[in-house]
């Protein structure tokens, strides 16, 4: 039985394309891990029995926040909370303070260089004008530093209370601003931990706080890296296959697999994180294996008919994908029974990506290549 | 007849075994495995902190750095940390404003010590006539600049410019007023509450002893922080002073004292700091005064932190206030021109470094360290192990069933296991096995299995010569490996996604080892296995 001998072969690609369209439509629903969007991640080991929904709502009431997302199995819990708004604001003021301060020191250096130039040639009018300009900028920057500092302290009020600072030497501001921020973060962490500890016996924990700026940066880097990878793949595939259609099916195969995996992530509520990113990258490897196999066998070989070659490629390819599916199904179920969210994320992503790959390669790429080869004859 | 056939079958089996071992692909594989095994046992594998537990200390730079500044800051930190013997600390730059410092299995004292080392800056003091003229906070970091060495009339002059804050400039001009041609003693990490115990034999005989003593006392004077210099020929004479003052002073700096003196000092509750002869010996310089006399002063004395003593030019001791200064000097004339040039450059760099307080190119702030408990990690090892074993079993079952040849179980197991072993060994020896590396390893093994299937598929067919089938299979395998390696390159060279670079490294390494080593070996085994068929 050769599915490629049927007259409906050219309609097969409708299925993977339909999946692609669904994923594109659902894409806005994707969630991000704390590393990528900022937030607070508390992982802990406990030996008490925990009712997760109950814990979530108790923490929500006690801390006056929306119910945090909690996952766990075995004796571990993973609690994710959004960053505290005031801390986020304070952090952005802190970053501005640093920015202004580095301008400030450069301006001071300029000022003194100009002053010494004027000391040697008092009639140098350009230097005079520049000096006046610089002095104005210095005053302006000082004012900006002080006002950012005031705003930062204001934002930190919920944590450090009402603190006032006397007219401080502007040079000291960055250090004081930083230490107040660190104090406030510590207060925040202690508050969260003690709330958690009143419900759960915690034997050890890790606390990670990512500010949105860092997360946004990671995310943009992730996107650029993926884009760069695909561009490179297209170039190499064009060099190897010389004609655009096979190169296109190889690349399209990978992209489609990733989109289907993203769809699965949305449905399974797996967030986009560094681990799931690892899974997506793995998918690139697997999908190119099947993609290259299909393209080479159908386009470059000559034995037997086109359909026969396609069918034999299908048999080989499905064996390849099945063995990977076996591996990742095992990993997926093991990760559910033991506390290994990393493996759960990776396995979930790859498993569904592979299932999608079967559709993409054998209902999408292969029929396209078969038709292409037929037309070339 | 039957007996004879069994006999010849026996020889065939033996010959076959030998033919396996003669294949260069199989030989190379065995060789590499054995080599790695030896290295693993000798050196051991590095596991990431997710597996063995550890602490990450994030460090933020005061402002974004360009790649050069970032790597300079990282190496400066690395040097500081290594002088404290903090073992196995890894530093990686993240983006352009963060550095992550990871310490596996860190004790809380190690963490605190690390943070202290990172946060400490060398303390700079510029002292004139026993009063502080400059300190670290006076100087604007970005304003310290090394001037190019100039040559004039056969002398090489070096210079360092620096800029101070306005308040500091006023104070400086007050302190140096009237001190023309006197030295400004520049200290880095001047010891506090310390007594210097100097054996007279270390002093040079070049000058008059009382002049030398005078110069040394001048250098060590600084209000309440004056360092008493005890010059002794007989150690016991020093002990009296030490006994009398052990409530005011805490440290004794000495060299070459005998055991009993050492014990006596420690009994008096002093901390004893043993220095080296070169550090303990003061270097003297002479300056000719306008009235014709020559004055001796100490120009360098590392034991008390005195690293340089440039002389104050009369133009700045007349009460004028300036925020920009220049320290300059001339290379000694008794050196060859090349030596003078090198000396000048070196001096300038050292002075610039002192003025910057021996600090980092960009100031850093230490953030809250966070800790991954090993209990989370031990779990992972266990889980990874089980998953690995079960997967290999599953794959073996699948492939043997699909191709209906049970014999395939052996080559599949051998190949997959060796790929796994080789990758884990290389990454563990040269890098760290962390979670992203594990993900990469899984990917590698997965694509390895794909390759084995492709090979088996081609070799089991009947049509075509062995050579052609082998070629067909490896064409696809090379294309696969090439595409995978190319796809991983952007990640490998990314400077910001450092946490998952381990994935790219593992995948690329695995792909190379696969195409060059393990997959040819698999093909060799399978083709020999089914030769007769």
């Amino acid at each position: 039985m050769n599915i490629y001998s049927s007259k409906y072969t050219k309609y097969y690609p409708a299925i993977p394309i339909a999946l692609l369209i669904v994923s594109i439509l659902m894409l806005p629903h994707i969630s991000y891990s704390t590393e990528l969007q900022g937030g607070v991640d508390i992982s802990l080991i406990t030996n008490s029995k925990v009712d997760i929904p109950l814990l979530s709502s108790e923490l929500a009431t006690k801390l006056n926040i929306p119910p945090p997302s909690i996952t766990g199995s075995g004796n571990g819990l993973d609690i994710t909370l959004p960053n505290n708004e005031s801390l986020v604001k304070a952090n952005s003021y802190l970053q501005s303070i640093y920015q202004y301060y580095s301008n400030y020191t450069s301006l001071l250096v300029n000022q003194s260089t100009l002053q010494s130039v004027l000391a040697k040639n008092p009639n140098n009018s350009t230097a005079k004008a520049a000096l006046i300009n610089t002095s104005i900028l210095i005053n302006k920057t000082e004012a900006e530093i002080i006002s950012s500092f005031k705003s930062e302290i204001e934002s930190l009020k919920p944590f450090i209370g009402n603190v006032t600072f006397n007219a401080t030497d502007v040079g000291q501001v960055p250090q004081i601003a930083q230490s107040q921020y660190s104090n406030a973060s510590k207060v925040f962490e202690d508050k969260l931990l003690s709330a958690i500890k009143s419900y759960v016996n915690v034997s050890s924990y890790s606390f990670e706080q990512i500010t949105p700026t860092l997360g946004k940066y990671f995310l943009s880097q992730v996107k650029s890296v993926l884009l760069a990878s695909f561009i490179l793949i297209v170039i190499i595939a064009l060099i190897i296959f010389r004609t655009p259609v096979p190169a296109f099916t190889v690349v399209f195969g990978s992209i489609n697999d990733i989109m289907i995996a993203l769809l699965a992530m949305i449905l399974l509520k797996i967030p986009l994180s560094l681990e799931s990113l690892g899974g997506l990258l793995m998918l690139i490897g697997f999908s190119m294996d099947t993609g290259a196999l299909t393209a080479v066998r159908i386009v470059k070989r000559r034995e037997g008919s086109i359909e026969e070659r396609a069918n034999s490629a299908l048999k080989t390819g499905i064996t390849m994908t099945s063995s990977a599916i076996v591996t990742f199904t095992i990993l997926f179920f093991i990760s559910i029974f033991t506390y290994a969210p990393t493996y759960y994320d990776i396995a979930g992503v790859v498993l569904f990506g592979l299932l999608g790959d079967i559709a993409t390669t054998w209902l999408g790429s292969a029929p396209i290549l078969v038709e292409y080869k037929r037309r070339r004859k | 007849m039957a007996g004879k056939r069994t006999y010849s079958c026996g020889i065939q089996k033996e010959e076959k075994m030998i033919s396996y071992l003669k294949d260069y692909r199989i030989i190379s594989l065995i060789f590499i495995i054995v080599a790695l095994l030896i290295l693993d046992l000798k050196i051991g594998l590095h596991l990431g902190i997710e597996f063995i537990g550890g602490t990450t200390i994030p460090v933020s730079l005061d402002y974004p750095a360009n790649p050069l500044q970032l790597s300079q800051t990282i190496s400066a930190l690395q040097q500081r940390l290594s002088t404290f013997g903090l073992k196995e600390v890894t530093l990686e730059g993240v983006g352009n404003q963060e550095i992550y410092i990871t310490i596996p299995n860190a004790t809380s004292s190690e963490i605190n010590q690390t943070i202290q080392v990172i946060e400490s800056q060398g303390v700079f003091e510029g002292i004139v006539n026993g009063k502080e003229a400059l300190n670290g906070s006076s100087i604007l970091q970005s304003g310290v600049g090394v001037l190019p060495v100039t040559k004039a009339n056969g002398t090489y002059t070096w210079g360092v410019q620096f800029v101070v804050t306005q308040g500091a400039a006023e104070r400086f001009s007050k302190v140096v007023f009237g001190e023309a041609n006197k030295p400004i003693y520049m200290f880095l990490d001047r010891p506090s509450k310390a007594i210097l115990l100097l054996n007279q034999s270390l002093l040079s005989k070049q000058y008059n002893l009382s002049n030398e003593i005078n110069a040394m006392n001048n250098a060590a004077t600084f209000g309440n922080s004056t360092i008493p210099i005890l010059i002794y020929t007989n150690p016991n004479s020093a002990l009296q002073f030490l006994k009398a003052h052990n409530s005011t002073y805490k440290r004794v700096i000495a060299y070459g004292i005998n055991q009993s003196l050492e014990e006596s000092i420690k009994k008096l509750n002093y901390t004893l700091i043993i220095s080296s002869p070169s550090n303990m010996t003061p270097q003297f310089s002479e300056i000719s005064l306008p009235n014709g006399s020559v004055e001796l002063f100490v120009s360098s004395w590392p034991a008390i932190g005195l690293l340089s003593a440039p002389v104050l030019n009369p133009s700045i001791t007349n009460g004028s206030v300036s925020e920009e200064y220049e320290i300059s000097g001339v290379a000694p004339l008794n050196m060859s021109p090349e030596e003078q040039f090198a000396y000048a450059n070196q001096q300038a760099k050292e002075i610039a470094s002192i003025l910057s307080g021996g600090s980092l190119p960009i100031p850093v702030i230490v953030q809250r360290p966070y800790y991954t408990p090993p209990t989370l990690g031990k779990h992972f090892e266990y889980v990874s192990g089980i998953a690995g074993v079960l997967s290999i079993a599953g794959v073996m079952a699948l492939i043997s069933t699909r191709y209906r040849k049970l014999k395939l179980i052996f080559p599949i197991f051998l190949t997959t296991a060796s790929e796994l072993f080789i990758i884990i060994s290389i990454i563990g020896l040269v890098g760290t096995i962390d979670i992203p590396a594990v993900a990469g390893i899984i990917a590698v093994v997965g694509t390895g299995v794909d390759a084995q299937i492709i090979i088996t598929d081609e070799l089991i067919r009947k049509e075509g010569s062995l050579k052609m089938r082998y070629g067909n299979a490896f064409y696809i395998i090379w294309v696969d490996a090439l595409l995978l390696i190319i796809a991983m390159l952007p990640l490998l060279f990314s400077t910001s996604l450092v946490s998952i670079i381990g994935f790219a490294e593992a995948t690329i390494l695995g792909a190379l080892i696969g195409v060059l080593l393990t997959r040819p070996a698999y093909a060799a085994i399978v083709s020999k296995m089914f030769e007769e068929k």
Side-chain angles (χ1 to χ4, degrees):
Chain A
M1 204 251 332
N2 187 336
I3 63 170
Y4 299 109
S5 307
S6 117
K7 55 180 172 162
Y8 298 115
T9 310
K10 50 180 178 256
Y11 300 115
Y12 294 158
I15 299 180
I17 291 180
L19 284 172
L20 177 64
I21 294 179
V22 173
S23 340
I24 294 180
L25 290 174
M26 296 279 287
L27 213 48
H29 292 277
I30 194 139
S31 60
Y32 298 95
S33 72
T34 47
E35 290 136 331
L36 296 179
Q37 75 171 349
V40 173
D41 231 348
I42 304 178
S43 300
L44 49 94
I45 301 273
T46 171
N47 47 24
S48 32
K49 273 272 173 226
V50 179
D51 179 345
I52 288 183
L54 185 62
L55 176 63
S56 179
S57 64
E58 307 250 85
L59 286 176
T61 359
K62 190 157 195 176
L63 297 168
N64 200 8
I65 54 173
S69 109
I70 306 184
T71 49
S73 51
N75 59 354
L77 278 182
D78 208 24
I79 305 180
T80 308
L81 306 149
N83 255 319
N84 177 285
E85 291 281 328
S86 325
L87 280 181
V88 169
K89 251 197 246 163
N91 187 267
S92 67
Y93 285 126
L94 184 61
Q95 300 303 325
S96 330
I97 292 178
Y98 283 138
Q99 195 54 49
Y100 288 134
Y101 189 71
S102 93
N103 293 347
Y104 179 69
T105 42
S106 319
L107 286 170
L108 282 181
V109 171
N110 285 349
Q111 182 186 52
S112 61
T113 322
L114 287 168
Q115 280 170 339
S116 64
V117 164
L118 275 176
K120 294 186 191 134
N121 313 335
N123 294 322
N124 187 334
S125 49
T126 25
K128 263 195 208 155
L131 184 62
I132 293 176
N133 213 12
T134 313
S135 308
I136 294 177
L137 283 173
I138 288 180
N139 287 338
K140 187 158 161 257
T141 318
E142 273 182 357
E144 278 164 344
I145 294 178
I146 305 257
S147 100
S148 301
F149 182 52
K150 285 210 179 106
S151 311
E152 186 216 358
I153 297 292
E154 185 64 35
S155 314
L156 291 178
K157 245 211 291 212
F159 298 102
I160 58 176
N162 252 326
V163 194
T164 37
F165 292 93
N166 303 326
T168 8
D169 170 17
V170 171
Q172 303 282 13
V173 168
Q175 285 134 302
I176 301 179
Q178 176 65 52
S179 70
Q180 290 306 317
Y181 179 77
S182 305
N183 290 347
S185 301
K186 184 72 169 77
V187 169
F188 178 56
E189 176 182 333
D190 290 341
K191 200 166 134 191
L192 290 178
L193 251 328
S194 69
I196 295 174
K197 281 183 179 165
S198 61
Y199 298 109
V200 171
N201 221 332
V202 176
S203 57
S204 60
Y205 75 93
S206 75
F207 182 92
E208 195 174 336
Q209 184 176 19
I210 306 273
T211 48
T213 36
L214 195 61
K216 275 195 199 113
Y217 182 72
F218 267 14
L219 198 55
S220 69
Q221 291 303 97
V222 162
K223 289 181 186 155
S224 341
V225 165
L226 279 178
L227 186 61
S229 295
F230 278 122
I231 293 177
L232 285 176
I233 296 176
V234 169
I235 296 175
I236 298 293
L238 278 173
I239 295 176
I240 295 178
F241 292 105
R242 278 162 233 248
T243 41
V245 174
F248 165 77
T249 54
V250 167
V251 175
F252 172 73
S254 298
I255 296 180
N256 212 37
D257 288 352
I258 291 186
M259 294 304 286
I260 295 180
L262 286 171
L263 179 63
M265 282 164 68
I266 296 170
L267 296 173
L268 289 176
K269 300 214 174 46
I270 296 179
L272 184 63
S273 65
L274 291 181
E275 289 91 20
S276 46
L277 181 67
L280 291 176
L281 292 175
M282 272 194 238
L283 266 184
I284 296 182
F286 290 124
S287 62
M288 285 194 301
D289 277 0
T290 48
L293 170 77
T294 320
V296 168
R297 286 261 187 99
I298 295 180
V299 172
K300 290 214 172 196
R301 295 283 164 77
R302 304 210 189 287
E303 69 268 2
S305 71
I306 301 175
E307 293 79 9
E308 278 167 4
R309 295 204 296 271
N311 202 33
S312 100
L314 178 137
K315 288 196 203 145
T316 312
I318 292 215
T319 316
M320 282 156 63
T321 313
S322 313
S323 65
I325 288 181
V326 161
T327 306
F328 284 95
T329 312
I330 294 177
L331 194 60
F332 189 63
F333 284 109
I334 289 184
S335 68
I336 293 182
F337 291 124
T338 63
Y339 177 57
T342 315
Y343 287 157
Y344 178 83
D345 285 355
I346 295 178
V349 166
V350 180
L351 186 55
F352 288 93
L354 289 171
L355 291 170
D357 181 64
I358 294 182
T360 310
T361 318
W362 310 113
L363 296 176
S365 302
I368 292 178
L369 287 166
V370 165
E371 275 303 311
Y372 165 74
K373 204 59 182 172
R374 277 184 192 155
R375 300 275 164 86
R376 284 194 91 189
K377 269 198 176 151
Chain B
M1 276 296 134
K4 225 185 181 172
R5 240 197 284 152
T6 329
Y7 180 61
S8 61
C9 267
I11 290 192
Q12 274 186 321
K13 263 205 179 135
E14 237 182 72
E15 278 173 1
K16 229 182 167 193
M17 284 297 286
I18 297 179
S19 80
Y20 275 126
L21 292 172
K22 276 207 189 133
D23 191 314
Y24 72 93
R25 295 164 290 195
I26 301 182
I27 292 179
S28 352
L29 184 63
I30 296 181
F31 176 72
I32 301 258
I33 291 182
V34 170
L36 284 173
L37 191 61
I38 297 177
L39 284 172
D40 283 346
L41 293 173
K42 275 195 86 178
I43 304 182
L45 300 174
H46 298 135
L47 293 172
I49 59 172
E50 302 98 331
F51 289 109
I52 55 179
T55 308
T56 304
I57 305 177
V59 170
S60 307
L61 277 63
D62 265 12
Y63 51 88
N66 62 46
L68 179 63
Q69 290 169 317
L70 187 64
S71 69
Q72 281 172 339
T73 312
I74 292 180
S75 15
L77 280 173
Q78 235 159 1
Q79 230 180 352
R80 269 200 213 170
L81 290 169
S82 64
T83 41
F84 279 85
L86 288 161
K87 42 121 197 175
E88 295 237 358
V89 177
T90 35
L91 289 90
E92 51 187 11
V94 177
N96 58 2
Q97 214 175 339
E98 300 252 326
I99 299 176
Y100 282 4
I101 301 184
T102 11
I103 315 175
N105 265 340
T107 60
S108 64
S109 71
E110 275 174 338
I111 300 174
N112 288 335
Q113 205 185 7
T114 309
I115 295 182
Q116 241 183 347
V117 169
I118 300 169
E119 284 180 333
S120 68
Q121 301 234 31
V123 178
F124 165 68
E125 286 160 308
I127 298 177
V128 174
N129 200 20
K131 295 194 273 287
E132 185 181 281
L134 281 176
N135 63 30
S137 57
S138 325
I139 301 183
L140 291 172
Q141 298 280 9
S142 41
V144 177
V146 171
L147 297 171
V149 173
T150 47
K151 177 178 176 189
N153 299 337
T155 56
Y156 288 83
T157 314
W158 56 265
V160 176
Q161 279 179 326
F162 64 95
V163 174
V164 300
T165 61
Q166 187 143 17
E170 284 164 10
R171 182 165 52 121
F172 181 81
S173 105
K174 284 202 191 100
V175 172
V176 304
F177 185 72
E179 302 285 344
N181 299 315
K182 294 279 161 60
I184 169 172
Y185 296 106
M186 303 196 349
F187 288 91
L188 191 63
D189 291 327
R190 191 172 183 280
S192 61
K193 295 198 171 53
I195 299 175
L196 192 77
L197 202 57
L198 186 60
N199 191 319
Q200 191 171 338
S201 59
L202 286 175
L203 290 175
S204 105
K205 308 282 186 283
Q206 197 178 353
Y207 305 99
N208 180 317
L209 183 63
S210 63
N211 286 348
E212 287 185 346
I213 294 178
N214 209 23
M216 291 191 288
N217 281 329
N218 280 339
T221 307
F222 181 31
N224 302 350
S225 299
T226 300
I227 299 176
I229 315 286
L230 299 181
I231 303 178
Y232 66 95
T233 36
N234 174 351
N236 293 315
S237 51
L239 261 181
Q240 268 193 313
F241 183 90
L242 291 174
K243 271 196 197 124
H245 293 88
N246 68 345
S247 48
T248 342
Y249 295 96
K250 290 220 188 87
R251 295 176 194 87
V252 172
I253 307 171
Y255 169 77
I257 53 177
N258 61 30
Q259 186 84 348
S260 68
L261 182 56
E262 216 179 286
E263 278 165 14
S264 323
I265 293 176
K266 286 192 184 145
K267 271 207 205 103
L268 291 168
N269 276 331
Y270 284 105
T271 314
L272 183 61
I273 302 175
I274 306 285
S275 186
S276 68
S278 54
N279 283 352
M280 289 291 286
T281 314
Q283 302 295 324
F284 294 100
S285 282
E286 291 173 309
I287 181 151
S288 343
L289 298 174
N291 61 11
S293 63
V294 170
E295 200 168 292
L296 194 66
F297 69 92
V298 179
S299 56
S300 124
W301 202 0
I304 61 168
L306 177 64
L307 298 182
S308 177
V311 167
L312 294 166
N313 190 307
S315 64
I316 55 175
T317 58
N318 56 10
S320 60
V321 177
S322 161
E323 280 147 13
E324 191 178 314
Y325 293 100
E326 184 181 309
I327 298 182
S328 55
V330 175
L333 292 167
N334 54 4
M335 295 180 187
S336 73
E338 298 82 37
E339 283 175 337
Q340 287 187 37
F341 184 74
Y343 176 90
N345 270 322
Q346 187 58 26
Q347 272 293 93
K349 284 201 193 116
E350 280 178 13
I351 299 280
S353 168
I354 296 175
L355 290 174
S356 322
S359 60
L360 302 167
I362 299 180
V364 298
I365 309 270
V366 177
Q367 309 285 5
R368 305 280 330 287
Y370 54 89
Y371 173 59
T372 316
T375 38
L376 280 176
K378 277 213 184 86
H379 231 225
F380 275 19
E381 267 176 7
Y382 181 59
V383 166
S384 314
I386 295 195
V389 167
L390 284 178
S391 312
I392 295 184
V395 165
M396 289 198 297
L398 182 77
I399 297 187
S400 339
T401 329
R402 156 82 172 89
Y403 292 107
R404 304 219 172 97
K405 297 186 195 310
L406 269 183
K407 279 208 269 183
L408 280 176
I409 292 187
F410 299 113
I412 295 170
F413 175 74
L414 285 173
T415 318
T416 315
S418 12
E419 263 186 24
L420 201 55
F421 174 74
I422 294 176
I423 282 273
I424 292 181
S425 304
I426 295 185
I427 296 186
L429 287 169
V430 172
T432 324
I433 299 180
D434 50 10
I435 300 279
V438 168
I441 293 173
I442 298 176
V444 159
V445 174
T447 50
V449 167
D450 281 355
Q452 288 165 33
I453 293 173
I454 294 176
I455 295 173
T456 315
D457 219 72
E458 292 282 349
L459 290 180
I460 275 195
R461 289 175 191 208
K462 325 279 198 268
E463 322 85 47
S465 69
L466 184 64
K467 207 168 170 192
M468 192 192 81
R469 288 182 266 150
Y470 192 91
N472 283 341
F474 271 84
Y475 182 79
I476 301 181
I477 291 178
W478 271 100
V479 169
D480 281 346
L482 187 63
L483 287 173
L484 187 57
I485 293 177
I486 300 283
M488 290 293 116
L489 287 179
L491 180 56
L492 185 69
F493 292 115
S494 144
T495 46
S496 47
L497 296 178
V498 268
S499 20
I500 46 174
I501 276 188
F503 179 86
E505 290 170 343
T507 317
I508 292 180
L509 190 61
L512 287 172
I513 290 179
V515 268
L516 296 173
L517 203 59
T518 49
R519 285 155 216 181
Y522 177 78
I525 299 178
V526 170
S527 56
K528 287 206 197 305
M529 215 174 236
F530 299 106
E531 220 158 30
E532 291 76 44
K533 297 259 166 92

